[in-house]
Amino acid sequence: GQQVMQIPQYQHVQEGEDFTTYCNSSTTLSNIQWYKQRPGGHPVFLIQLVKSGEVKKQKRLTFQFGEAKKNSSLHITATQTTDVGTYFCPPISPSYGGSQGNLIFGKGTKLSVKP
Amino acid sequence: KAGVTQTPRYLIKTRGQQVTLSCSPISGHRSVSWYQQTPGQGLQFLFEYFSETQRNKGNFPGRFSGRQFSNSRSEMNVSTLELGDSALYLCASSLVGAGYGYTFGSGTRLTVV
């Protein structure tokens, strides 16, 4: 199945610093989704990228999909303590019969922010 | 609108017992998936249901089973519980089609003693 490597596994930043996490796949991805899980919480869908070279922004978060659709990144500008959590970029493994498929989670990137 | 509802939130069971967890998806979401989350293994896919049929299954023993009802609500069952089954069990629902993300419930925290 599809495997996506995410780096770094851990990142500690001072509040106000920028943060970037990268996802790299050995195969071409049809799309990529990003999720955030806060400590003690559940994953929350952030965004989906579909097009080659796509860039999407959500306030301080910028998501990019590589030209070859094999990598993606999430950049957070001026981190805040509310950004703490683990960020995942799980590929979707398709199922049969028209269903949505399932997410293949890796370890993600765990972000801690020092106030 | 209401999110994905999982019940119960917490559960303590004894080894050898069985347990049933429930998931009510967002209204209109027909795809329901289950995941197990542990500190050691992270988030692992259990199974996916769509239109009352299991569409995909992860690498878990047959003690783990599930089903989906006509109203898209889903249940998962774990029989002959083992200590290693202690985990957070998450349910996620989705509309079907490109561009739709998965909405996760808050999970059921199962502790096996």
Side-chain angles (χ1 to χ4, degrees), chain A:
Chain A
Q2 290 181 323
Q3 294 273 345
V4 170
M5 297 301 295
Q6 194 170 350
I7 55 170
Q9 193 170 345
Y10 302 95
Q11 185 77 60
H12 309 283
V13 300
Q14 189 77 35
E15 189 172 23
E17 291 182 338
D18 292 357
F19 158 76
T20 304
T21 175
Y22 301 89
C23 286
N24 298 299
S25 171
S26 57
T27 59
T28 301
L29 302 168
S30 56
N31 58 60
I32 194 161
Q33 297 186 351
W34 284 89
Y35 290 79
K36 174 186 177 183
Q37 184 174 23
R38 289 185 169 161
H42 55 274
V44 174
F45 174 71
L46 295 176
I47 209 161
Q48 174 167 282
L49 304 174
V50 179
K51 299 177 184 176
S52 168
E54 189 170 14
V55 178
K56 287 189 176 180
K57 292 190 175 184
Q58 290 179 350
K59 297 182 181 178
R60 295 178 295 102
L61 277 60
T62 302
F63 303 85
Q64 288 189 304
F65 203 10
E67 293 290 341
K69 300 182 74 172
K70 288 186 174 182
N71 54 71
S72 181
S73 65
L74 159 58
H75 179 83
I76 301 178
T77 304
T79 54
Q80 300 175 357
T81 54
T82 53
D83 296 323
V84 165
T86 302
Y87 293 84
F88 297 96
C89 54
I92 299 173
S93 177
S95 299
Y96 70 93
S99 63
Q100 189 68 340
N102 62 275
L103 300 169
I104 306 171
F105 284 93
K107 296 183 185 299
T109 293
K110 189 174 182 178
L111 172 66
S112 60
V113 179
K114 187 176 181 181

